Amino acid sequence: MKRIIIDIDIKNIIEIVKKRKGRISAFFAKYLIKEDTIREEVERRVVDEVQKNIEQTLKIRLHQEGIKAKLDIRQVDRHK
């Protein structure tokens, strides 16, 4: 079995919060909530979206190519 490993380390957490939730939320996020907590939530949402897109696209492409394969796409936290 072969594996593909994708590590995601988001560098602009506060900018993402500003864009998605507005400036007030970004202010609270920057000064009142731990950055690690915000980072975990943003990374979780991004990884969920990436995983969903990979699953959908890969299933379609494999089917189009006539490839029968079992996909096991999962999320794993990488602790430093």
Side-chain angles (χ1 to χ4, degrees):
M1 172 176 41
K2 298 294 181 187
R3 293 180 188 215
I4 297 173
I5 298 171
I6 301 170
D7 290 325
I8 298 176
D9 182 16
I10 299 171
K11 302 293 184 186
N12 62 336
I13 299 294
I14 298 301
E15 290 82 3
I16 292 170
V17 173
K18 280 183 191 176
K19 184 176 180 179
R20 302 286 184 192
K21 299 287 185 179
R23 295 195 182 278
I24 293 174
S25 293
F27 171 81
F28 284 117
K30 188 172 183 179
Y31 295 107
L32 299 177
I33 302 172
K34 288 183 181 179
E35 185 176 342
D36 289 344
T37 303
I38 298 166
R39 175 173 297 284
E40 287 176 17
E41 179 64 18
V42 171
E43 285 181 348
R44 183 188 61 79
R45 289 183 183 198
V46 168
V47 171
D48 285 349
E49 192 64 28
V50 169
Q51 180 179 356
K52 184 174 87 175
N53 287 329
I54 288 172
E55 287 174 349
Q56 290 173 348
T57 304
L58 194 53
K59 285 179 184 178
I60 291 169
R61 292 294 297 148
L62 290 174
H63 179 73
Q64 288 173 343
E65 296 295 326
I67 298 170
K68 294 180 182 178
K70 179 182 174 195
L71 299 177
D72 181 16
I73 300 174
R74 59 191 152 175
Q75 296 178 32
V76 178
D77 288 334
R78 185 175 178 177
H79 300 286
K80 295 179 181 179

